[in-house]
């Protein structure tokens, strides 16, 4: 029997399927009797030292077992003398994440087009209807660095350098993924993410896939899809690729680790063919066609992660 992790943190990355997962968590918390702790703060991911201490104290004193979720950059509990929780997260293709956020801020989703007015009440009409290609190709602040350096800080942490696009933040984010996250999944393969979460954290995620596939739940999930999205021109997409090169290096690193993990547990899924990527500046990730031959016992591997 695996040790039961009584503290789980999902520091969800914006526009990476987190609303879908939170809908599932609300159902699962009722079903399995764990404490789902959510936050009303949605737009403060970077915290001062005092704010970090206060949040960690509030999280750590929650009734256990708990799963805490909020849009917040990685918090190092051990730095402040706390027990490091089990971290989980999901990311997606960086350009797709950016586009989803761009149009969501302007037009909301199917839950009601007016809900975007709550999030961006001061946005002028000319901004709201700004053509995405103009925004990218004419270097509007919303579509240029460092505004496009978004995913990595969620894994790098609260250090000021984590907000600066570069190798330091990238490498620190990779290190935290390896040392502090039980699972970082890929939104494009969400069903496999849910399968692995059910395997690793059954006390929280048992039956999650059957709930996710339930027609009634899928109907609710469809309401969170961003509306009025358009695809930028190939030229604009190439510009985004260049500006997000560190994000893509991290994304492909996480994706490869996720695929290795799937192979370790015998998952072979059929996924949509990904968009061709710009090989001229992003190195190809390591390809592993065969299942990994690993003598390490699967349960022992999980137990070691829980002990971190």
């Amino acid at each position: 029997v695996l040790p039961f992790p009584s503290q789980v943190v999902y520091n969800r990355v914006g526009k990476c399927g987190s609303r879908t997962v939170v809908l599932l968590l609300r159902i699962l918390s009722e079903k399995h009797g764990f404490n789902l702790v959510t936050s009303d703060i949605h737009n403060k991911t970077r915290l001062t030292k005092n704010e970090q201490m206060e949040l960690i104290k509030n999280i750590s004193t929650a009734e256990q077992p708990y799963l805490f979720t909020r849009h917040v950059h990685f918090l190092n509990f051990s730095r402040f003398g706390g027990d490091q929780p089990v971290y989980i997260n999901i990311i997606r293709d960086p350009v797709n994440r950016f586009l989803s956020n761009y149009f969501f801020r302007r037009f909301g989703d199917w839950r009601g087009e007016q809900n975007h007015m709550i999030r961006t009440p001061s946005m002028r009409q000319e901004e709201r209807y700004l053509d995405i290609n103009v925004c990218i190709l004419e270097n509007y602040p919303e579509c240029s660095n460092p505004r496009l350096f978004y995913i990595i800080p969620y894994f790098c942490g609260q250090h000021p350098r984590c907000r600066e696009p570069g190798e330091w933040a990238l490498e620190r984010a990779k290190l935290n993924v390896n040392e502090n996250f039980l699972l970082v999944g890929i939104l494009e393969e969400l069903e496999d993410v849910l399968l692995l979460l059910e395997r690793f954290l059954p006390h929280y995620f048992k039956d999650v896939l059957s709930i996710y596939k339930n027609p009634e739940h899928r109907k609710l999930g469809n309401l969170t899809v961003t509306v009025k999205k358009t695809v930028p021109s190939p030229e604009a997409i190439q510009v985004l690729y260049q500006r997000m090169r560190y994000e893509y290096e991290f994304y492909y690193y996480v994706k490869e680790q996720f695929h290795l993990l799937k192979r370790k547990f015998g998952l072979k899924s059929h996924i949509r063919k990904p968009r061709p990527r710009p090989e001229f500046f992003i190195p190809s990730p390591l390809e592993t066609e065969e299942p990994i031959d690993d003598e390490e016992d699967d349960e022992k591997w999980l137990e070691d992660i829980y002990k971190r």
Side-chain angles (χ1 to χ4, degrees):
V1 177
L2 291 172
F4 173 43
S6 58
Q7 303 174 83
V8 179
V9 171
Y10 171 32
N11 65 319
R12 48 196 175 114
V13 182
K15 306 312 297 174
C16 289
S18 61
R19 285 177 297 155
T20 296
V21 177
V22 169
L23 280 174
L24 289 168
L25 286 170
R26 286 176 182 151
I27 298 169
L28 291 166
S29 65
E30 292 287 330
K31 185 178 177 68
H32 301 315
F34 63 86
N35 182 19
L36 178 62
V37 184
T38 59
S39 174
D40 294 330
I41 302 172
H42 303 290
N43 58 357
K44 190 173 179 58
T45 57
R46 302 183 297 241
L47 310 177
T48 66
K49 184 177 178 180
N50 286 337
E51 287 171 338
Q52 291 177 58
M53 292 174 64
E54 186 67 22
L55 180 57
I56 287 172
K57 178 183 176 182
N58 290 340
I59 296 172
S60 299
T61 55
E63 182 183 350
Q64 298 184 17
Y66 69 72
L67 190 151
F68 174 79
T69 178
R70 172 178 161 177
H71 295 301
V72 64
H73 295 170
F74 174 76
L75 292 162
N76 189 340
F77 282 59
S78 57
R79 179 188 174 198
F80 300 100
D83 294 329
Q84 193 73 352
V86 169
Y87 268 92
I88 58 173
N89 216 322
I90 300 172
I91 65 173
R92 73 190 290 189
D93 178 279
V95 165
N96 285 340
R97 193 218 66 82
F98 165 75
L99 294 176
S100 180
N101 185 61
Y102 183 89
F103 292 105
F104 180 70
R105 291 182 70 243
R106 286 161 169 78
F107 307 116
D109 55 32
W110 289 109
R111 292 176 300 177
E113 285 196 36
Q114 292 306 310
N115 71 14
H116 65 276
M117 300 297 291
I118 299 170
R119 291 176 173 82
T120 55
S122 62
M123 184 177 280
R124 301 190 304 272
Q125 284 298 91
E126 58 267 30
E127 288 180 283
R128 198 173 300 282
Y129 291 96
L130 175 65
D131 184 270
I132 184 70
N133 293 299
V134 172
C135 183
I136 296 166
L137 298 175
E138 296 188 13
N139 298 321
Y140 279 68
E142 187 178 359
C143 299
S144 60
N145 280 330
R147 294 297 297 275
L148 303 183
F149 191 71
Y150 184 86
I151 297 174
I152 287 175
Y154 276 86
F155 299 88
C156 178
Q158 297 290 337
H159 193 286
R161 291 186 68 183
C162 288
R163 307 165 200 172
E164 302 169 5
E167 290 290 336
W168 189 91
L170 170 64
E171 293 306 316
R172 183 164 173 146
K174 288 180 182 179
L175 183 66
N176 275 333
V177 166
N178 294 335
E179 294 187 349
N180 292 295
F181 282 79
L182 173 66
L183 176 69
V184 182
I186 301 295
L187 182 62
E188 293 85 354
E189 302 168 43
L190 181 57
E191 289 194 11
D192 286 343
V193 177
L194 299 178
L195 275 171
L196 287 176
L197 284 171
E198 185 170 3
R199 171 70 185 271
F200 297 166
L201 299 170
H203 298 84
Y204 297 88
F205 287 95
K206 182 174 170 47
D207 300 323
V208 65
L209 200 56
S210 60
I211 296 170
Y212 174 70
K213 289 183 173 181
N214 182 288
E216 288 303 311
H217 180 269
R218 295 306 286 266
K219 191 185 301 182
L220 280 175
N222 289 337
L223 294 177
T224 66
V225 175
T226 303
V227 299
K228 296 188 179 180
K229 280 196 290 188
T230 60
V231 179
S233 68
E235 181 187 5
I237 287 177
Q238 285 298 318
V239 170
L240 284 180
Y241 272 132
Q242 289 283 10
R243 291 175 181 170
M244 303 171 95
R245 59 189 178 276
Y246 294 112
E247 292 276 277
Y248 269 99
E249 189 171 339
F250 180 73
Y251 172 73
Y252 285 117
Y253 175 80
V254 167
K255 188 174 184 178
E256 178 59 25
Q257 297 304 306
F258 181 62
H259 285 174
L260 289 172
L261 195 58
K262 282 171 53 176
R263 292 187 181 98
K264 185 181 182 74
F265 287 92
L267 287 181
K268 295 181 180 179
S269 59
H270 300 284
I271 58 173
R272 290 175 295 177
K273 188 175 180 180
R275 181 198 300 130
R277 56 196 186 88
E279 302 290 351
F280 55 85
F281 71 86
I282 297 178
S284 296
L286 172 68
E287 298 294 342
T288 309
E289 297 299 335
E290 299 299 324
I292 304 301
D293 292 322
D294 195 333
E295 295 180 358
E296 182 183 12
D297 180 73
D298 287 348
E299 308 302 338
K300 178 65 167 59
W301 175 81
L302 280 173
E303 186 174 342
D304 287 343
I305 285 185
Y306 286 140
K307 287 178 179 176
R308 287 175 183 168

